[in-house]
Amino acid sequence: MARIQIAGGRPLQGTVEISGAKNAVLPILMASLLTDQPCGLSGVPHLKDVTTTMELLGQMGVEISLGDRFRVEMQARELASDTAPYELVKTMRASILVLGPLLARQGVAKVSLPGGCAIGARPVDLHLKGLKAMGADIQVDAGYIVARAERLKGARVVLDTATVTGTENIMMAATLADGTTVIENAAQEPEVVDLAECLITMGAEISGHGTNTITITGRERLAGYDYRVLPDRIEAGTFLVAAAMTGGCVRVTRARPDTLDAVLGKLEEAGAEITVGEDWIELDMGGRRPKAVNVTTAPYPGFPTDMQAQFTALNAIAEGTGVVRETVFENRFMHVQELQRLGADMRLEGNAVIIRGMEKLTGAPLMATDLRASACLVLAGLVAEGETVVDRVYHIDRGYENIEEKLRQLGADIRRMTG
Ligand code: EPZ
């Protein structure tokens, strides 16, 4: 099992290029199921979840070839299967995103129920509610969702919570439905917008993406796409927090500052100097220790839950006391007890963690539990005195491309240990 070893205490300095957004790449790859025409996606990061998605689509009969380093070519000429098997879905919940496209393309889809995960129950009831509203017959049988529909019909769908993948599933299904679908309380995340923009290049008729009401008028068929995915705002935010925690100065390039307003605002509150350009963001901490900040996660454009663990780590070494409140998932604080092993002074109270910043943390062996928690443990290791070893880094490889190489480029004393 691979581990990451860090010797803390070095301020990060320099420039790092941001990879394509995992949470946009996954639905856009699934969108290739909506057409029998060739599709090409550029800016694809080398991540475990991307490999899993290509394996899943390949099993369904999608022809897939890899272009240059970051390009994937696909064509779903003939689909060989209508099933997303448990073996794959249990390793990647986002597999649920084949449900809408498969159902719209061929009138039947069988997808294993994703089951719970470390950060919460994460039901998919709203995905199913939306597809049912569009006329699908949905059964759950032996752990599989079995969905059927001659042809989906446009409908008005009101989402109880602004589910990201729920919005994406319903939006993709609606592009081939008969009539117009309106999604109310839709997710507004930039990754939802990027998927909509890609669908529009395929000929889909979509408006309102990026707001809480998305309108889609179905088509008989869609063309293929040749698209470049947007940069990963969570990867960019993670490196900026690393710079703030270590008192360094880092520029993230090939980034989208406009997708990080809430995060940049909190970093300025913590005392960072931020400058931005068209496609870059620079954070200069000038050797200062960050000031504690209060954070409450919320759907976009609120503060992203995927940056919560990173700010918990920042508050662990900040000046003062900070409160981090998690409102999106019910169990996204597994990193707290790991940070306490480094000497962090933090205590859980309901859906919040109260953090009294420490002058220093002391390195120790740690265990990663989920994607963003593992990133936060690496960030804590960058500032802890002595050696920190983070185990089970397969979690981190799901969402960060070569994180230790990128951090080493910025001056961190970090390496991957295998075996
Ligand atoms: C997406 O997950 C992201 N994953 C997550 O990123 C991200 O944390 C999350 O959105 C929130 O921003 C991908 O895009 C692949 P939700 P998703 O449905 O769509 C409840 C990462 O680290 N809910 O928006 O699964 C749910 O329980 C991952 O990259 C229902 O109740 O999240 C949660 O409390 C982690 N019923 C809330 O909504 C449903 O049918 C938000 O979940 C669906 C969701």
Side-chain angles (χ1 to χ4, degrees):
M1 186 115 40
R3 303 188 303 283
I4 285 185
Q5 181 184 53
I6 309 141
R10 297 191 179 185
L12 299 186
Q13 308 280 347
T15 297
V16 63
E17 187 173 290
I18 297 305
S19 303
K22 165 178 89 79
N23 290 349
V25 165
L26 302 185
I28 291 174
L29 289 175
M30 309 289 192
S32 64
L33 291 168
L34 289 165
T35 176
D36 59 5
Q37 297 301 302
C39 298
L41 186 59
S42 302
V44 178
H46 283 198
L47 298 173
K48 179 82 181 70
D49 279 5
V50 172
T51 314
T52 305
T53 300
M54 292 197 283
E55 206 180 313
L56 174 61
L57 293 176
Q59 267 192 19
M60 290 182 167
V62 179
E63 297 150 47
I64 298 178
S65 60
L66 300 180
D68 73 26
R69 193 162 135 66
F70 301 101
R71 177 123 173 122
V72 177
E73 311 275 352
M74 292 153 294
Q75 187 161 5
R77 234 189 283 266
E78 289 287 320
L79 290 181
S81 156
D82 54 18
T83 302
Y86 176 65
E87 296 65 45
L88 279 173
V89 175
K90 72 180 178 188
T91 66
M92 186 186 71
R93 312 178 39 74
S95 310
I96 190 73
L97 284 166
V98 300
L99 182 61
L102 263 188
L103 186 59
R105 170 75 185 275
Q106 59 177 22
V108 61
K110 294 185 190 101
V111 179
S112 165
L113 270 170
C117 89
I119 63 178
R122 299 184 73 183
V124 291
D125 57 311
L126 300 177
H127 299 236
L128 306 185
K129 178 184 169 192
L131 296 173
K132 273 186 195 149
M134 297 168 75
D137 169 58
I138 307 253
Q139 304 296 329
V140 176
D141 177 29
Y144 276 77
I145 299 162
V146 182
R148 295 183 196 287
E150 268 306 295
R151 187 179 180 196
L152 293 167
K153 293 192 177 16
R156 181 166 173 270
V157 176
V158 183
L159 294 173
D160 307 1
T161 59
T163 160
V164 172
T165 50
T167 300
E168 291 168 344
N169 240 335
I170 296 162
M171 181 166 71
M172 285 193 280
T175 59
L176 291 177
D178 176 11
T180 296
T181 298
V182 179
I183 307 173
E184 306 273 7
N185 195 26
Q188 305 177 53
E189 272 69 3
E191 294 75 27
V192 176
V193 174
D194 215 36
L195 171 63
E197 289 298 329
C198 180
L199 291 168
I200 288 169
T201 69
M202 298 169 76
E205 192 175 325
I206 301 175
S207 60
H209 42 298
T211 76
N212 61 9
T213 304
I214 303 178
T215 303
I216 308 106
T217 301
R219 287 265 186 278
E220 291 294 325
R221 66 183 55 74
L222 294 177
Y225 61 73
D226 183 354
Y227 197 73
R228 171 176 288 278
V229 76
L230 89 166
D232 194 315
R233 61 194 166 101
I234 303 303
E235 185 194 17
T238 302
F239 282 112
L240 293 171
V241 170
M245 289 176 67
T246 58
C249 178
V250 166
R251 174 175 291 207
V252 294
T253 59
R254 195 176 278 183
R256 281 271 305 275
D258 61 310
T259 62
L260 278 161
D261 289 347
V263 172
L264 298 183
K266 283 296 170 188
L267 286 167
E268 285 178 328
E269 239 183 83
E273 266 173 49
I274 304 249
T275 45
V276 301
E278 171 77 15
D279 65 349
W280 58 266
I281 305 164
E282 182 162 295
L283 182 146
D284 188 352
M285 206 60 187
R288 296 181 300 279
R289 183 181 169 197
K291 293 197 278 292
V293 291
N294 295 328
V295 160
T296 299
T297 66
Y300 196 89
F303 186 91
T305 174
D306 292 350
M307 285 299 301
Q308 178 260 103
Q310 298 89 318
F311 271 77
T312 302
L314 179 140
N315 274 338
I317 48 94
E319 226 171 286
T321 297
V323 179
V324 174
R325 193 173 300 282
E326 173 59 61
T327 71
V328 175
F329 291 110
E330 63 269 29
N331 182 33
R332 203 172 195 177
F333 282 126
M334 269 86 55
H335 44 284
V336 168
Q337 68 253 31
E338 294 302 310
L339 293 170
Q340 286 166 336
R341 289 175 47 75
L342 301 178
D345 179 350
M346 42 182 75
R347 68 179 192 285
L348 283 169
E349 281 189 10
N351 69 346
V353 54
I354 321 297
I355 306 154
R356 197 169 63 81
M358 307 293 282
E359 286 272 349
K360 76 178 185 71
L361 298 175
T362 309
L366 303 175
M367 184 82 78
T369 51
D370 68 272
L371 168 52
R372 306 304 169 182
S374 36
C376 122
L377 299 182
V378 170
L379 299 188
L382 293 172
V383 296
E385 275 182 8
E387 180 184 275
T388 296
V389 178
V390 180
D391 203 350
R392 297 191 180 175
V393 287
Y394 58 84
H395 288 293
I396 222 169
D397 293 336
R398 295 190 48 191
Y400 291 90
E401 187 177 34
N402 306 328
I403 192 165
E404 75 274 9
E405 282 166 37
K406 292 188 174 184
L407 287 169
R408 197 181 305 116
Q409 264 173 36
L410 296 172
D413 180 345
I414 182 170
R415 66 192 186 92
R416 182 178 289 250
M417 302 149 66
T418 48

